[in-house]
Structures are given as structure tokens and as C-alpha cells.
Amino acid sequence: LDTVETFYNYIKIRKLDKAFALLGEKFVKGMTFENWKKGYAPNLDTSIIKIENDENKENFVNIKLSTKDLVGEEIVYKYFEGSWEIKEIDKNLKLWWPQIKEIKEPDWLWFYE
């Protein structure tokens, strides 16, 4: 739980190198830091809405989050939910593989479930 929360907090405060360091090799295989961080260039804010350990799967964390991006001259809000698998690699916790999808136009209940 703390590893996932730390990852998104690093993104929020623009410590992208530290966020990238939390990603496991399965996620970043063949990807450079420079290419990965390009995906966060328009990001103005990332906020965790809900985060919890998955009760049914060991080492999985469920998350809901929102992002605010600057696209051209427009602010675009996006919403996501899913899970991260967490693995211990060389005594360090790593975000191994995300199963996160964008939620288009969530209804008001999505924010409270």
C-alpha cells in the first residue's frame, strides 16, 4: 500500500526519477526513463481517491485516482481504477504490473464506493 501511494506522491511532486525507480523490471522492460517521463509531461496533478490492499489477492493494491493534464490550452481531467501487483525484489518493494484502466465519465457514486 505504501509503495503504491509513494509512487503517485512522487508523480504529484514531480520526482519522476524516484517514481520510476519504484517500477519493477516487468513494467519497464525495454523502456528508458526519458521515454517513460514523456507520458507525464502534460500532468499538472495526480490525486489518489481510494487506495486499499486487495482482500482477495495477496500482494495486490487496488486504487482509484484522478489526473489533471494540460493538453494544448485545455485542462483535461481523467479518472482511473485498477490494481498494482507488488513484489519484493532484492529486499525492495517494486510495482510489478499494473492492471489500471481509464474510467470515462464516472458517475458520482464512483467517487464514494
Side-chain angles (χ1 to χ4, degrees), residues 82-98:
S83 63
W84 277 99
E85 180 181 7
I86 311 301
K87 288 193 176 191
E88 186 174 331
I89 308 295
D90 298 326
K91 298 186 180 180
N92 294 302
L93 294 177
K94 296 286 187 173
L95 302 176
W96 198 250
W97 193 249

Side-chain angles (χ1 to χ4, degrees), residues 91-107:
K91 298 186 180 180
N92 294 302
L93 294 177
K94 296 286 187 173
L95 302 176
W96 198 250
W97 193 249
Q99 296 176 14
I100 297 174
K101 62 183 178 183
E102 184 177 354
I103 305 300
K104 300 277 188 178
E105 301 179 23
D107 64 22

Side-chain angles (χ1 to χ4, degrees), residues 19-46:
F20 188 77
L22 290 173
L23 297 172
E25 65 187 50
K26 184 174 180 180
F27 183 77
V28 297
K29 188 174 182 178
M31 186 183 321
T32 66
F33 170 69
E34 292 302 319
N35 282 340
W36 176 81
K37 85 174 186 179
K38 286 178 187 176
Y40 289 95
N43 184 264
L44 298 174
D45 186 48
T46 298

Side-chain angles (χ1 to χ4, degrees), residues 65-80:
L65 61 122
S66 67
T67 62
K68 180 169 57 171
D69 297 338
L70 182 61
V71 179
E73 295 183 14
E74 182 180 352
I75 293 178
V76 176
Y77 294 90
K78 294 182 180 178
Y79 306 95
F80 300 89

Side-chain angles (χ1 to χ4, degrees), residues 6-23:
T6 299
F7 173 78
Y8 288 109
N9 284 333
Y10 280 148
I11 289 174
K12 185 178 193 81
I13 63 171
R14 307 302 292 172
K15 298 285 186 181
L16 298 181
D17 56 329
K18 292 184 182 241
F20 188 77
L22 290 173
L23 297 172

